[in-house]
Amino acid sequence: MSAAFLEHVNFTVADPVKTAANLCKWFGWHIRWQGPAIHDGLTYHVGNDDSYVAIYALGTPKNGQESSYATIGGLNHLGIVVEDLDTTEEKIKADGIETFNHADYEPGRRFYFRDENDIEFEVVSYA
């Protein structure tokens, strides 16, 4: 029997069409599925053939006020592995997004950013 693996993570966004487009542009992913979802919402599944991010919207979502690091069950960040860290960062910065917390460490390099939904991403390369 093979080890378990993470198939997807699901989070709420303000505009799933925009978020899906950004994830495709930044990470070279594709839309695997899109359609109606629970509570008359809309979901996009964006990723590769093995895993994806489910992005969901229901009307006008509420803005969170609490820090995810201080909230039980909070999403702290989503880690994405890329081959070319510098090119990926250029794509993200070209959209006016500030990157931060750059580090070179064993075994790779990384940076962080927050998207338009205030979701924190860690982008890492082991190349």
Side-chain angles (χ1 to χ4, degrees):
M1 181 174 203
S2 63
F5 69 93
L6 181 65
E7 181 202 30
H8 75 275
V9 61
N10 183 322
F11 51 86
T12 300
V13 300
D15 182 348
V17 175
K18 180 179 180 185
T19 301
N22 284 340
L23 294 175
C24 290
K25 176 174 46 174
W26 297 333
F27 303 123
W29 290 344
H30 63 274
I31 296 171
R32 294 172 38 141
W33 177 85
Q34 67 188 56
I38 192 169
H39 305 301
D40 294 322
L42 175 65
T43 295
Y44 278 68
H45 292 180
V46 185
N48 59 34
D49 293 338
D50 298 317
S51 64
Y52 63 94
V53 175
I55 48 180
Y56 170 82
L58 171 64
T60 305
K62 299 176 190 175
N63 286 328
Q65 301 300 319
E66 300 291 326
S67 166
S68 63
Y69 286 93
T71 303
I72 293 174
L75 173 68
N76 297 320
H77 66 260
L78 184 63
I80 308 293
V81 177
V82 298
E83 288 191 25
D84 189 332
L85 191 70
D86 297 324
T87 298
T88 302
E89 184 174 19
E90 288 172 15
K91 291 177 188 177
I92 293 163
K93 290 172 83 173
D95 284 338
I97 296 174
E98 181 180 337
T99 60
F100 59 92
N101 199 11
H102 295 76
D104 292 341
Y105 62 98
E106 186 59 38
R109 296 172 49 223
R110 70 155 192 249
F111 68 88
Y112 290 79
F113 72 95
R114 289 189 171 276
D115 76 351
E116 69 274 4
N117 301 290
D118 204 30
I119 296 168
E120 184 177 271
F121 289 80
E122 177 184 1
V123 184
V124 62
S125 177
Y126 299 112

